[in-house]
Amino acid sequence: MTEVVATGPVERAPEVRTLALTVRYYGREADALHEIDLRVARGELLGVAGENGAGKSTLALALAGLIPRVIRAQVSGSIELSSPDAHVGIVFSSPHNQISATKATVREELAFGLENLGVPRADMDARIDAALAALRVDHLAERFPFELSGGEQQRVAIASILVMGTQVLVLDEPTAQLDPASTRLVGELLRDVATSGTAVVVAEHAPVILGEADRVAVLHEGRLVAVGGPLTALGSATLGPVGLEPPTIVRLAELAGLTGPRVPADEELASGLRSGLGRGVEAMPGSVSGASIPWIPVRSHPPTPVEVDDLTHRYANGVEALRGVSLRIAPGETVAIVGQNGSGKTTLVKHLNGLLRPATGEVRIDGRSLLGRRVDEIAGTVGFVFQDPDDQLFGRSVEREVAFGPRNLQLDAATVERLVEAALGATGLADERRTNPYDLDRSRRKLVALASILAMDPAVLVLDEPTTGQDAPGVRRIGEIVEAFRDAGRTVIAITHDMELAARHFGRLVVMTAGRIVADGPPEEVFDVRNQALLASAGLVPPVAARVGAALGLGSTPTPEALARRLAGPPAG
């Protein structure tokens, strides 16, 4: 069993360390963590990186004391806190696991933890105001938490832990549902929290968060394979031997010859690359050219345009989420809808399969209005994958879950089998067919939800944040599925906060803010430097290749490949 002990006198700076920490879940043959030795000092921000299944979440849960007290597992080794009075707080990747659902307003939600700590009422308001302002959710203080968007809920969840002033703060993928600007905000906030004296441990995939860390610990198959500065720990020499890929920004830094401990700023990258223009371009990070996942359509669909005319939507609480949105999507297009949390993206796409009905305006699929049509009727044409897989899954096995949709379409048994096999293969779940979906981690449950819709072989595929919680191989798989679907002549519409995914795999970007479309065009146009102010107003940060290309005066370079081509040739005129 994990032993949590205090070492040293009370006045010693709070810190946490693990000694030979080993965790194995019951029923599993391999350790989730194996003899992990780590130390996080007071005032340090430690990032934890690794592929899905590497043990990041297990480490976070153990540090917070939830393993084995709440989540049963066989545990050996120890976790030591330097002070017996140190409080450890944890932020989960899903706000639904964090928000109490017992409070009527965001302000009351933040007060909940303070009440349990016995904080005097006179001190509460100032602490709550500071936490709300730090996460920029002060304008949501009087809103009901579950009326907010997923990203807004996540910022509230983070604020609800920060407000309690824990000495050790543990976060498990806290930015998975946040827009790019909010992700940067959280990274800067965690840096400030650590600087103020808190020991911070954050398990993340986002390079912008890991780049703020003092050190990054890399886990692979439950073992600690590297600890060092972000640029070193996430570099090719460290990750390559275990089959992992550095983030694009780290590969660019390597190409620029930058060797410092921290991930460099855009200007540093540009300066390093400028000195070696045209050299080493072959070392640029590349993407998969063309879909490697075969997708052979089984059902026949006519060309299916999507048309949205002057759409408005008001929720029961009076919030006007859509304000006159009009959109035309041709058959076979790949369209990424991007924008800050709460901009109306999910509200818009929920109108495309009848989950929401417009206050005014109209949606037409294949020339037919959705007014008066049932959701189950529309589902045969428009497949919708929810942001939260737990809103979608109910089957007792992965195979049953994936087969449910095509069976509901009353397809014959042989066709259902073909579709299920293709969907399981495309999502990498063929070996999990007999597994209960809820025995899988959240990232794999996301893939189960996707497979269940792929198996219906719809004409239009709608994805709400498909890469949430996915590691680099998982993101690549999602991109390949988008391309395979497109190559099969089908339409893909995705909400995403992953700007690199949007630039690589989607032919068109639609930018939303405050319930309106403010930009619409191909990635090279939308991410052009001339749109910098507009993108910032929509909570967006262009992908690193676009930012570096702009700093070099190379024109629009939304992908690493585009940047490589411009580096190899003359600057754009």
Side-chain angles (χ1 to χ4, degrees), residues 155-245:
R155 283 191 282 167
V156 170
I158 296 171
S160 72
I161 301 302
L162 284 178
V163 76
M164 292 191 288
T166 57
Q167 286 76 38
V168 179
L169 177 62
V170 180
L171 306 98
D172 185 12
E173 296 187 19
T175 68
Q177 301 190 53
L178 299 184
D179 59 59
S182 296
T183 297
R184 277 194 168 185
L185 171 68
V186 169
E188 294 166 0
L189 179 65
L190 295 181
R191 175 75 270 156
D192 291 343
V193 170
T195 300
S196 70
T198 301
V200 181
V201 181
V202 55
E204 259 292 354
H205 292 303
V208 68
I209 299 295
L210 296 174
E212 291 284 351
D214 297 297
R215 295 183 299 148
V216 173
V218 180
L219 297 176
H220 177 63
E221 296 180 348
R223 297 175 183 269
L224 185 64
V225 297
V227 183
L231 201 57
T232 302
L234 300 174
S236 299
T238 302
L239 299 186
V242 294
L244 302 178
E245 293 183 8

Side-chain angles (χ1 to χ4, degrees), residues 6 8 13 68 81 88 108 125 143 159 246 250 254 308 324 338 355 362 390 408 427 437 448 450 474 481 489 539 572:
L81 298 175
V88 180
E108 291 176 10
D125 285 340
R143 294 274 300 278
V250 174
E254 291 174 343
V308 177
V338 299
L355 285 173
E362 185 180 38
D390 298 342
N408 252 17
T427 51
V448 175
L450 173 57
I481 289 172

